Amino acid sequence: MLEVRDLEVAFGPVAPLSGVSFSLAKGETLGIVGESGSGKSLTAMSVMGLLPLSGGRITAGSIVFDGQELTTLAEPAYRKLRGARLGLITQNPMTSLDPLQKIGPQVDDVAVLHLGMTGSEARARTIDILGTLRIPEPQLICDRYPHQMSGGMKQRIVIAMALAADPDVLVADEPTTALDVTVQAQIIRLLDDLVKERDLALVLITHDMSVVAQTCDKVVVMYAGRAIEHGPVEAIFDAPQHPYTQALIGCIPKGLSDDEHLTGIPGTVPTVLNYPTGCPFHPRCLRAEDVCSTDRPAFVQHGQSAAACHFAGAAP
Ligand SMILES: Nc1ncnc2c1ncn2[C@@H]1O[C@H](COP(=O)(O)OP(=O)(O)O)[C@@H](O)[C@H]1O
Ligand SMILES: [Mg+2]
């Protein structure tokens, strides 16, 4: 359904994203995981054709959706795909919701625009979708304004809008980051159910490895604008090859005791202006040797997963 190959994105002379590849079938969830600033949102914006809005452009690679190359698609054609066949859910629901308009008409508009429904057909569909998303009293909700709803409810409405035209691919960019933990879990479960019920292809972007473990079929781990490891979720968790992936997994709280020491990865993610040479992770990597600062590691297949590390496959 979606195949991204060697994607590179540039803003003028700087290229904050390069060498990102993944593929996704219907009924599958792909996790894109990495710390803030690793290039996850740029990847999402590239797939949605929204980079030009921020002045970015795709300078290499390809994005094929259902057999169609998207990197060369003209904006009017892209606009038809967006919303209709490619749905986007962002971290902040208020980037998608109009604060001045009631919920009902906002969701109705998607089906009117993309499916050519009449207003009343669209409303019936809206109520049906809100019900699917376990929103109580959908009729009443249609007459509310966004500010009258909780963060979790607003995010459900955004999901409803993304689903209204029956898309094939849903890109969810940190859909639960702004929500509290219990609501997060509900939204993640909801997305998981939707993938199965609607045979969706879901790209789930998160900085949270435990979300990946719960929901994803496969994973791309990103660091400093590059994919550094990818593979099926079991392989990534059972035998992570890249020290960065190992560190991310090491940060998942085990929840065994109250005084559990929460670890982070020492150091900070480099910005696009100081991406390291060689392996981008080498300044923070406990296993780095000289070669890591000079030579960019190629992907090495190890079992079912592949990692870009000079020492992938070696014992940690
Ligand atoms: N409009 C832009 N112009 C220049 N650099 C950008 C722009 N947007 C993002 N970047 C840079 O690209 C890198 C990746 O950003 P992003 O994809 O937003 O990361 P993430 O979503 O993983 O937190 C960051 O270093 C960021 O500073
Ligand atoms: Mg982001």
Side-chain angles (χ1 to χ4, degrees), residues 15-303:
L17 192 78
S18 59
V20 175
S21 303
F22 56 85
S23 66
L24 182 61
K26 274 181 169 256
E28 260 185 352
T29 300
L30 169 92
I32 300 182
V33 67
E35 288 162 289
S36 171
S38 56
K40 306 183 298 296
S41 292
L42 289 180
T43 306
M45 293 301 114
S46 302
V47 171
M48 297 303 298
L50 294 172
L51 273 181
L53 289 181
S54 57
R57 121 192 126 76
I58 294 173
T59 41
S62 84
I63 303 173
V64 177
F65 163 70
D66 199 14
Q68 188 177 16
E69 176 61 54
L70 297 186
T71 55
T72 51
L73 197 64
E75 177 53 22
Y78 227 128
R79 205 174 304 135
K80 281 194 189 136
L81 277 187
R82 244 186 334 256
R85 301 197 62 198
L86 302 170
L88 176 68
I89 304 167
T90 57
Q91 174 178 342
N92 178 359
M94 291 318 289
T95 56
S96 310
L97 295 177
D98 177 352
L100 301 178
Q101 215 192 352
K102 288 179 178 173
I103 295 299
Q106 298 197 50
V107 184
D108 299 349
D109 278 356
V110 179
V112 170
L113 185 69
H114 290 292
L115 303 178
M117 286 188 170
T118 65
S120 56
E121 285 167 344
R123 177 53 58 92
R125 186 178 164 79
T126 295
I127 289 173
D128 185 49
I129 293 172
L130 297 184
T132 311
L133 298 179
R134 290 163 221 145
I135 294 172
E137 305 187 277
Q139 277 99 336
L140 290 180
I141 292 290
C142 285
D143 280 326
R144 299 251 172 90
Y145 289 92
H147 71 86
Q148 297 174 299
M149 314 181 76
S150 68
M153 270 305 154
K154 278 189 283 219
Q155 195 57 299
R156 278 171 209 248
I157 303 300
V158 172
I159 296 173
M161 287 173 71
L163 290 176
D166 223 359
D168 303 286
V169 172
L170 203 55
V171 178
D173 188 358
E174 309 224 32
T176 64
T177 301
L179 306 173
D180 66 54
V181 180
T182 41
V183 180
Q184 267 185 33
Q186 289 165 4
I187 299 282
I188 292 296
R189 206 169 315 126
L190 194 58
L191 287 171
D192 204 26
D193 291 346
L194 288 170
V195 168
K196 296 187 180 98
E197 285 161 19
R198 297 182 169 239
D199 210 19
L200 277 171
L202 174 65
V203 179
L204 182 60
I205 295 178
T206 176
H207 59 263
D208 186 344
M209 264 291 186
S210 54
V211 166
V212 171
Q214 284 163 40
T215 51
C216 297
D217 300 296
K218 42 193 186 180
V219 191
V220 177
V221 183
M222 292 198 54
Y223 188 81
R226 299 193 149 255
I228 55 99
E229 182 158 7
H230 59 84
V233 72
E234 306 81 20
I236 295 286
F237 279 86
D238 290 349
Q241 299 299 315
H242 200 289
Y244 180 60
T245 312
Q246 293 166 356
L248 280 180
I249 292 173
C251 291
I252 300 176
K254 313 267 182 312
L256 295 176
S257 65
D258 289 344
D259 60 352
E260 182 181 0
H261 182 61
L262 283 184
T263 49
I265 305 172
T268 50
V269 181
T271 71
V272 61
L273 297 174
N274 62 3
Y275 279 172
T277 53
C279 169
F281 188 57
H282 84 262
R284 297 169 77 187
C285 184
L286 297 174
R287 296 170 58 198
E289 296 187 18
D290 288 349
V291 63
C292 303
S293 60
T294 52
D295 295 6
R296 189 173 288 291
F299 271 100
V300 177
Q301 190 78 27
H302 201 271

